[in-house]
Amino acid sequence: MSLCTMALAVTQKDFHCDVNNSAHHTNRFSKDRLIVRRGQDFLLSVSFNREFPQGADTLQLTVETGPKASDSAGTRSAFGVPSVVKSKSWGATIQKTSQNTVTLKITSPPDASIGKYSLSLQTGTTPVQNHTIGNLIVLFNPWCSEDWVYLPKEDERQEYVMNDSGRVFRGTRDYIHGIPWTFGQFEEDVLEICLWMLNASPKFKRDPGEDCSARCNPIYVSRIVSAMINSNDDNGVLVGKWDDDYKDGVKPTSWSDSVSILRKWHKSGGQPVKYGQCWVFAAVMCTVMRCLGIPTRVVSNFDSAHDSDGNLTIDMYRGNAKKQNESVWNFHVWVESWMRRPDLQGDFGGWQVLDPTPQERSEGAFCCGPAPVKAILEGHTEHKYDVPFVFAEVNADIVVWYVESDGTKTKMSTDTQSVGKNISTKAVGSDARTDITSSYKYPEGSAKEREVYTLAVSKGHVTGGVRPPTAPEQPEITLKIEEQSAPVRGQDISLRLIVHSNSTVTRKMTVNINADSICYNGVCAEDFWSENRDVEVQPQTEITIPILIPYSKYEGHVLENKIMRVEALTHLPWNNRGFFTSKNMFLSRPTLSLKTTGPPVLFGEMVAELVVENMTAETLKDCTVTLTGPGLLKCPQETGVPALGPNRRLRVQIPFEPFEAGQRVLMADFNCSLFQDVRGCSTVHVQH
């Protein structure tokens, strides 16, 4: 048999993983397996048992993803070489030939389903020779203008896709602090876990073929991920818990990275990890979305409303009230992901809210979004997904009711301005906080903001009874609580209550003042102090009442992440009107700063220098610092440190040797008898 008639057989293949992955911004995942982004070509070299004369032999490639792959579902594609490459189909051209080797340039469509693909090659006509080439992974492509997740600015792509660490903002609207978080989307096995997560979803189990076909759509994929991060419906990643009993799991405040959570879930075969709260859910979802190629950022909303009946108001009950059904969280954290929304009429592409914290069901599952931020800003609550719920989180009105002993309710006040403050995310290229409130809502109190609220009420598909918004009337009595000085844990809390009368007559009244500790989701943990004050206010004047809450009253009650809430309430029986105000206070905590010295080179001798400052009036005992850092320390390094007195500073130096090059994050965690998980971090650029 002559060489030219010998059947063409594959003897070797080369995916050019290093070159391809670098071009596709996936080389941080791996340099020895092919991971590409859709809509962008990649190289494949195939060597044969004889020379490949162009035109004389025929080649055909086939790619498949998921079970029951089919051309009609878009999960299988067979294409000749060379082929006419169309924008919505797979195709290949010959880049070059060299003796027995052909180098092909293969292009995937910008709407290809993401996931793991098999690639095979058929040679000849009769008989056809089938050759398995290998596997590749296809991801979304924010660098491709035809991909729905295309993000035009390179610095934003670096931040929202490539950055594997960041900040998550927590606290109260007046005391915002960022905690460091390692997303770790490029860590070994995280991509495999994220793809496994898609296959663990109920929709894949119900119809694998249809599910894999729908993975071309970032809207669909984002809803799957939102549902799978929580465990409520589907043995998803995290169990949510909002009390103090975490002994059968890990406290939400103890987590500082997504990778350990995802690995723990995967290693157990999909048994949910205990426990998470909103910032943990959001940070893990950010990891998964960035891993899959969808630009994503973590967003924190302060004074965030949870509207359970869909009427865009939060009803708060005082007096003879029973358990609250609705609440205002001190902060709530979700993610925004960038994508087009061709499923909606109008220009609603861009940032979309996705919230994996299980709060309310969406189309039967505990997920939320994607809700276009533009739709929230303009009050278009008729659009999917879950726009009314997110609109209420940032712009609901708070209506406070006084409940009589017989159950009669009287409205005390309507607050149109408190919900949705200082909406925050990490800045591009730095750890600073960026305020993005203006992208969600018009200025509080402006005519435009009230106009949007009215539109939102009229357009929303609500589940509860809707009260049309009304302009708040001027109350006869107003109450306001102010701090006399910054609250320091371990000291008495000094406040003042300002009572202002708009009445034309002198008013005598009893003001009830009480303090309690609350969890960050607005749920009262316990009352610990109260007193009544009899006051008399002259017409059109105001008086100031000093308030002193002794340390002995709140000691042992306002611990960990709990916040002190002080409320003042007066009820005027002669006209059955009540007046109310409250203030949340974040008591001082220790601070931790971290820096490094020494040459940041592989296996160089470096030193981590930690400074812990006790900003409280109490002595901190049983103190330890723990240092961690992928690529910097082989394992966490815990060091015991002396007790730290009030307003004292402690300096600790810990040596380490980096063992992996690249941008690395060093994290320090301080724990003591009164506080857990006080953190600081430092970025180290390790050179070869």
Side-chain angles (χ1 to χ4, degrees):
M1 180 183 295
S2 66
L3 286 177
C4 61
T5 59
M6 183 187 304
L8 196 64
V10 174
T11 59
Q12 196 172 354
K13 61 260 188 181
D14 185 355
F15 275 118
H16 301 287
C17 294
D18 194 1
V19 173
N20 285 325
N21 291 1
S22 295
H24 286 249
H25 310 278
T26 60
N27 54 322
R28 291 177 65 186
F29 287 116
S30 175
K31 291 182 173 62
D32 55 17
R33 56 183 181 142
L34 183 59
I35 304 169
V36 300
R37 300 189 186 274
R38 64 186 193 175
Q40 183 176 340
D41 56 61
F42 59 92
L43 299 177
L44 168 67
S45 292
V46 183
S47 297
F48 300 99
N49 57 338
R50 60 174 173 81
E51 186 177 357
F52 179 81
Q54 295 189 44
D57 291 292
T58 61
L59 297 178
Q60 181 169 286
L61 292 165
T62 301
V63 290
E64 295 182 327
T65 184
K68 300 180 181 178
S70 69
D71 296 273
S72 60
T75 52
R76 180 185 183 277
S77 181
F79 49 99
V81 180
S83 60
V84 177
V85 180
K86 299 178 181 179
S87 63
K88 297 296 183 181
S89 64
W90 289 79
T93 58
I94 296 176
Q95 184 79 353
K96 68 176 182 178
T97 58
S98 176
Q99 296 182 342
N100 293 8
T101 301
V102 178
T103 300
L104 306 174
K105 183 169 70 174
I106 302 173
T107 304
S108 63
D111 62 349
S113 289
I114 65 160
K116 187 176 294 184
Y117 281 77
S118 63
L119 176 64
S120 59
L121 175 69
Q122 295 79 43
T123 61
T125 53
T126 307
V128 174
Q129 304 291 315
N130 291 300
H131 308 277
T132 298
I133 301 299
N135 297 321
L136 67 149
I137 293 174
V138 177
L139 302 177
F140 291 108
N141 192 353
W143 283 266
C144 174
S145 61
E146 294 181 82
D147 196 314
W148 287 6
V149 304
Y150 172 64
L151 187 61
K153 296 181 179 179
E154 177 60 21
D155 61 340
E156 293 185 350
R157 292 192 290 254
Q158 291 300 316
E159 180 67 52
Y160 302 133
V161 181
M162 302 299 291
N163 196 349
D164 59 0
S165 63
R167 287 288 192 277
V168 178
F169 293 97
R170 303 189 310 183
T172 69
R173 69 183 185 184
D174 297 320
Y175 302 96
I176 299 173
H177 63 278
I179 61 167
W181 193 274
T182 301
F183 298 116
Q185 66 267 32
F186 299 111
E187 291 296 306
E188 184 181 2
D189 71 12
V190 168
L191 177 55
E192 292 291 338
I193 295 172
C194 293
L195 296 177
W196 188 78
M197 177 187 297
L198 299 181
N199 289 350
S201 75
K203 290 194 174 182
F204 177 84
K205 293 176 180 178
R206 190 179 307 123
D207 190 332
E210 181 179 336
D211 177 76
C212 289
S213 176
R215 292 181 190 175
C216 64
N217 187 342
I219 301 168
Y220 175 87
V221 171
S222 67
R223 282 183 64 77
I224 294 293
V225 175
S226 176
M228 286 300 298
I229 296 298
N230 68 73
S231 64
N232 287 45
D233 308 298
D234 42 33
N235 285 328
V237 179
L238 279 160
V239 179
K241 196 169 189 182
W242 284 265
D243 58 29
D244 290 327
D245 183 10
Y246 304 112
K247 57 180 175 290
D248 61 337
V250 176
K251 288 189 305 181
T253 53
S254 294
W255 301 114
S256 61
D257 74 292
S258 304
V259 177
S260 57
I261 295 171
L262 290 168
R263 284 177 175 164
K264 188 172 184 178
W265 176 68
H266 183 253
K267 185 177 180 180
S268 70
Q271 292 301 308
V273 177
K274 300 176 180 179
Y275 290 101
Q277 291 178 358
C278 68
W279 70 92
V280 185
F281 287 107
V284 174
M285 182 165 184
C286 185
T287 295
V288 176
M289 299 294 275
R290 288 185 183 182
C291 184
L292 298 178
I294 301 177
T296 300
R297 62 189 186 184
V298 177
V299 172
S300 301
N301 177 40
F302 294 88
D303 289 344
S304 184
H306 182 166
D307 177 23
S308 60
D309 63 7
N311 65 2
L312 306 189
T313 64
I314 302 300
D315 293 300
M316 311 289 285
Y317 299 98
R318 295 298 183 265
N320 298 278
K322 296 181 180 180
K323 184 178 179 180
Q324 298 285 143
N325 291 323
E326 298 184 319
S327 59
V328 177
W329 298 31
N330 294 316
F331 70 93
H332 182 50
V333 186
W334 55 69
V335 301
E336 289 177 358
S337 293
W338 182 274
M339 65 188 74
R340 295 175 194 161
R341 290 301 301 270
D343 58 320
L344 303 177
Q345 289 187 344
D347 180 17
F348 292 104
W351 290 115
Q352 313 286 319
V353 172
L354 289 148
D355 190 351
T357 300
Q359 296 184 87
E360 303 291 338
R361 292 185 185 273
S362 173
E363 296 185 342
F366 278 100
C367 67
C368 180
V373 174
K374 290 181 181 178
I376 298 162
L377 174 67
E378 300 297 342
H380 284 280
T381 49
E382 76 275 18
H383 287 315
K384 58 185 183 182
Y385 292 88
D386 309 305
V387 175
F389 183 77
V390 182
F391 181 91
E393 287 183 301
V394 301
N395 215 12
D397 288 351
I398 301 174
V399 180
V400 182
W401 302 83
Y402 186 84
V403 182
E404 304 282 0
S405 57
D406 62 359
T408 303
K409 295 186 298 183
T410 304
K411 185 168 71 171
M412 288 197 291
S413 64
T414 299
D415 181 352
T416 64
Q417 299 191 25
S418 290
V419 165
K421 296 295 185 183
N422 301 332
I423 304 175
S424 305
T425 192
K426 177 187 170 300
V428 173
S430 81
D431 289 332
R433 182 181 71 89
T434 295
D435 192 301
I436 57 173
T437 307
S438 61
S439 66
Y440 280 85
K441 58 197 297 188
Y442 289 97
E444 291 287 6
S446 67
K448 183 65 175 179
E449 185 267 339
R450 285 291 91 189
E451 176 188 326
V452 167
Y453 185 87
T454 303
L455 178 68
V457 170
S458 68
K459 284 183 171 290
H461 302 289
V462 296
T463 57
V466 176
R467 284 189 302 275
T470 57
E473 60 188 49
Q474 185 180 46
E476 182 181 356
I477 301 292
T478 59
L479 307 174
K480 183 179 181 181
I481 297 172
E482 294 181 346
E483 296 174 2
Q484 296 271 34
S485 57
V488 175
R489 188 183 301 271
Q491 294 181 352
D492 297 345
I493 304 299
S494 181
L495 308 167
R496 58 175 170 260
L497 172 66
I498 300 171
V499 183
H500 181 87
S501 173
N502 294 310
S503 177
T504 57
V505 297
T506 299
R507 289 300 190 193
K508 294 182 179 180
M509 67 196 79
T510 299
V511 180
N512 173 255
I513 308 167
N514 71 280
D516 56 23
S517 63
I518 59 171
C519 300
Y520 83 95
N521 62 352
V523 176
C524 176
E526 54 185 330
D527 297 312
F528 56 79
W529 176 87
S530 70
E531 65 179 28
N532 292 328
R533 298 287 186 89
D534 294 324
V535 300
E536 181 178 300
V537 191
Q538 300 298 318
Q540 306 296 319
T541 61
E542 68 180 27
I543 62 172
T544 299
I545 303 171
I547 303 171
L548 187 70
I549 304 175
Y551 171 58
S552 60
K553 295 296 184 181
Y554 73 83
E555 181 183 12
H557 297 284
V558 188
L559 298 174
E560 291 284 350
N561 284 316
K562 291 189 176 62
I563 292 169
M564 182 185 295
R565 177 173 62 189
V566 181
E567 298 182 336
L569 168 69
T570 183
H571 184 236
L572 309 182
W574 58 85
N575 61 5
N576 201 30
R577 297 299 304 272
F579 306 97
F580 170 82
T581 190
S582 68
K583 184 173 183 61
N584 294 341
M585 291 180 295
F586 190 82
L587 304 188
S588 61
R589 288 169 56 88
T591 62
L592 188 154
S593 61
L594 175 66
K595 68 177 183 179
T596 61
T597 58
V601 296
L602 277 177
F603 307 108
E605 295 182 359
M606 298 190 69
V607 174
E609 184 173 275
L610 301 82
V611 176
V612 182
E613 188 169 0
N614 182 6
M615 308 291 287
T616 78
E618 301 177 84
T619 296
L620 307 182
K621 302 175 182 178
D622 303 323
C623 302
T624 63
V625 294
T626 303
L627 202 64
T628 58
L632 300 174
L633 294 96
K634 296 285 187 181
C635 60
Q637 186 170 336
E638 182 177 304
T639 303
V641 295
L644 189 58
N647 299 309
R648 298 297 299 273
R649 180 181 296 179
L650 174 71
R651 189 182 306 273
V652 182
Q653 292 185 326
I654 302 174
F656 68 97
E657 293 183 359
F659 59 91
E660 290 185 6
Q663 179 176 298
R664 302 291 167 185
V665 176
L666 186 67
M667 189 176 298
D669 194 342
F670 173 77
N671 293 286
C672 65
S673 54
L674 292 177
F675 299 95
Q676 300 292 311
D677 308 307
V678 178
R679 295 194 180 107
C681 71
S682 177
T683 300
V684 183
H685 298 271
V686 181
Q687 307 297 318
H688 283 284

